[in-house]
Amino acid sequence: MPSRRDLANAIRALSMDAVQKANSGHPGAPMGMADIAEVLWNDFLQHNPSNPQWPNRDRFILSNGHGSMLIYSLLHLAGYDLPIEELKKFRQLHSRTPGHPEYGYTAGVETTTGPLGQGITNAVGFALAERTLAGQFNRPGHDIVDHYTYTFLGDGCLMEGISHEACSLAGSMKLGKLIAIYDDNNISIDGEVRGHGNVTGWFLDNTPQRFEAYGWHVIPKVDGHDAEAVKKAIEEARQVTDKPSIICCQTIIGWGSPNKEGKEECHGAALGEAEIAATRERIGWPHAPFEIPADIKAAWDGNAKGAALEAEWNDKFAKYRAAYPELAAEFERRTAGELPADWDAKSNAFIAEVNAKAETIASRKASQNTLNGFGPLLPELTGGSADLAGSNLTLWSGCKDVNAPGHDGNYVYYGVREFGMSAIMNGIALHGGFKPYGATFLMFSEYARNALRMAALMKIPTIFVYTHDSIGLGEDGPTHQPIEQTATLRMIPNMNVWRPCDAVESAVAWKSAIERKDGPSTLVFSRQNLPHMARSQAQIEAISKGGYILKDSDGTPDAIIIATGSEIELAVKAADVLAAKGKNIRVVSMPSTNAFEAQDQSYKDSVLPASVTKRVVVEAGVTDSWWKYAGSNGRVVGLDRFGESAPAGELFKEFGFTVDNVVANVEAVL
């Protein structure tokens, strides 16, 4: 029977061999954390390698994602669909073992990690989702949602500011089934983080005290190479149910390497053939590269245990279904990510009601109205705001705090944590069973940008809501007035950005974001009131295409005005003025350039025919991205400078967002 150390050494061998073959990667963390990982995966982790999507599995997140060979080794050894050939292709094109773990590439990888701090933050989202789903579905004697979230993290994760945001919130929320294991090895790429000699160091935090201050249960100074000590610490953490736990494991990076362990040399580079040979001898691993003895492979294999765990849960769920058939069906629908059967009919009926009301309201208010319309249809809708609920208008009549007794709510008070909120939402989306949305001012999407990029990279349907979308913010001035944000959000691959012009477009934008399965959406709303635009049913149906003809001319257009959001009103009024002068003007509303670009060429040509080269684009933001529509014969009425502090109406006049200026620009191209 192999010893625990033998089992851990399998991780070390695979990790150093894969990094060496690729001549690229990070062997130090997998070798240093191997003993911890062996205990967690073999003694505690509830999972089934043959069904990585089993709903009640524990979630494991490697926040220090540069140590990716740790999770690849674990997945291979445990019996997931990750054959040894894939480990041999570590970091190679189209392999299932990319340099950092990537969601969707490898069975068993729960989230993409690499940008440090986001894994632990995703983990907070996973843990929050587990507790909330349990609150909504569990019934006395029927705990069908009952699993832990485990995350490994290193010094780098704890240095990143996002970890402060997320861990502070996790402590406030008392997420008792979140267990973080901190790899305290004192090494980063630049050397010893606590310093040595004349070097002071750059990470001198008292981490246990920091987490105690957050309200976490802290287990300090655990020997990360002592399996029994690690096991005892995890057992202790699992017993604490009213707060998250962090286990501070002291480890030696690159453990086993005679000449490089404990040094930055093994952090981000292959050990070298000679050092690997010496390591094999030192740890007692006489096997060839990528060779795992049968007894060790058998001891690691988790398929039989996993199948038994899932079968036990299936029996439990069958009893739950017998007692609560409607809840069981709803649980299955939500965890499958399917919308209710009546969603399409009821959401379209709501949009028709909005159109009939023809209200002149701010699109942020239209967004709230839409939430009141859609919220009762979607129990999976889970919202939040970064301390701006009263301004973002993300609260609707059915909202309940997720932290209230019973933990069955649907709204998160994130506090001033834009980055943390966004990455937590990604974790909620990845967990399954929810459609998360969260909001702040558009300007502060900058704080959250990398989490938005990660959502797009992972192709997950997180919904990011941003209000106060332009200089229309007014008196708060240029620190709060977004200029370049909408344009740069549109540039993120696989991100759908919507800037609606009225209540109808706002409702359609929400519907499109809710229905999307293959990527995130960004909804951008105004502070100021926007007038209703009259439309036919065909035009309403065309909104979801991202761009459509809102107001057409008699005959072939002399010019086309393209606009979004609050500037649509200017475009329509300018077209009326020009029509009175005998000009044929088409107005195109383009609430989502991303959705428009996804349409077939024939549709795009029907909206923007190549023969009509006289075009003017109007949007209160930077102009660069609009020239692809304006063309060399066109003009863009935009804003390539920062704003000023003044009432919104004055600012629009100051910067040329007037009917007269739009008319003048159209006449200039005719």
Side-chain angles (χ1 to χ4, degrees), residues 177-218:
K177 294 172 85 171
L178 171 63
I179 298 176
I181 301 178
Y182 164 39
D183 181 30
D184 182 10
N185 62 27
N186 189 40
I187 296 294
S188 70
I189 289 174
D190 282 349
E192 296 183 18
V193 300
R194 288 189 286 274
H196 62 279
N198 295 323
V199 179
T200 305
W202 48 91
F203 186 57
L204 305 180
D205 300 21
N206 187 321
T207 298
Q209 288 185 1
R210 168 182 160 186
F211 276 80
E212 285 173 0
Y214 290 153
W216 285 53
H217 171 62
V218 178

Side-chain angles (χ1 to χ4, degrees), residues 48-63:
N48 184 6
S50 63
N51 182 14
Q53 297 304 310
W54 171 36
N56 201 45
R57 69 191 182 280
D58 291 337
R59 272 55 168 188
F60 174 77
I61 294 104
L62 183 68
S63 190

Side-chain angles (χ1 to χ4, degrees), residues 33 37 47 54 63 100 142 161 226 251 323 340 397 438 447 449 496 506 518 544 550 561 577 602 641-642 663:
M33 299 192 77
H47 66 120
W54 171 36
S63 190
H100 292 81
H142 297 276
D226 181 339
T251 65
S397 60
Y447 282 137
R449 182 61 63 107
N496 275 7
S506 297
D518 60 353
S544 63
L550 177 64
I561 305 175
V577 171
S602 63
R641 55 152 291 180
F642 297 122
V663 169

Side-chain angles (χ1 to χ4, degrees), residues 583-625:
K583 302 298 182 181
N584 290 330
I585 306 298
R586 172 179 290 183
V587 177
V588 170
S589 178
M590 189 129 359
S592 176
T593 61
N594 310 103
F596 182 71
E597 291 297 336
Q599 306 306 312
D600 60 52
Q601 194 60 47
S602 63
Y603 176 78
K604 290 189 285 187
D605 289 343
S606 72
V607 177
L608 298 174
S611 58
V612 183
T613 61
K614 312 297 186 182
R615 302 177 181 179
V616 174
V617 180
V618 190
E619 186 176 65
V622 293
T623 62
D624 279 3
S625 63

Side-chain angles (χ1 to χ4, degrees), residues 325-388:
E326 292 183 2
L327 275 175
E330 182 72 354
F331 179 84
E332 289 178 314
R333 178 189 72 78
R334 284 176 54 175
T335 53
E338 300 299 329
L339 289 166
D342 58 357
W343 160 254
D344 195 58
K346 289 186 175 180
S347 59
N348 285 332
F350 174 80
I351 291 168
E353 289 175 13
V354 173
N355 186 58
K357 287 181 180 178
E359 292 179 301
T360 293
I361 53 176
S363 56
R364 63 170 175 162
K365 179 60 180 175
S367 169
Q368 185 180 49
N369 292 347
T370 302
L371 286 169
N372 274 302
F374 289 171
L377 309 178
L378 297 169
E380 59 264 50
L381 200 62
T382 298
S385 178
D387 204 48
L388 288 168

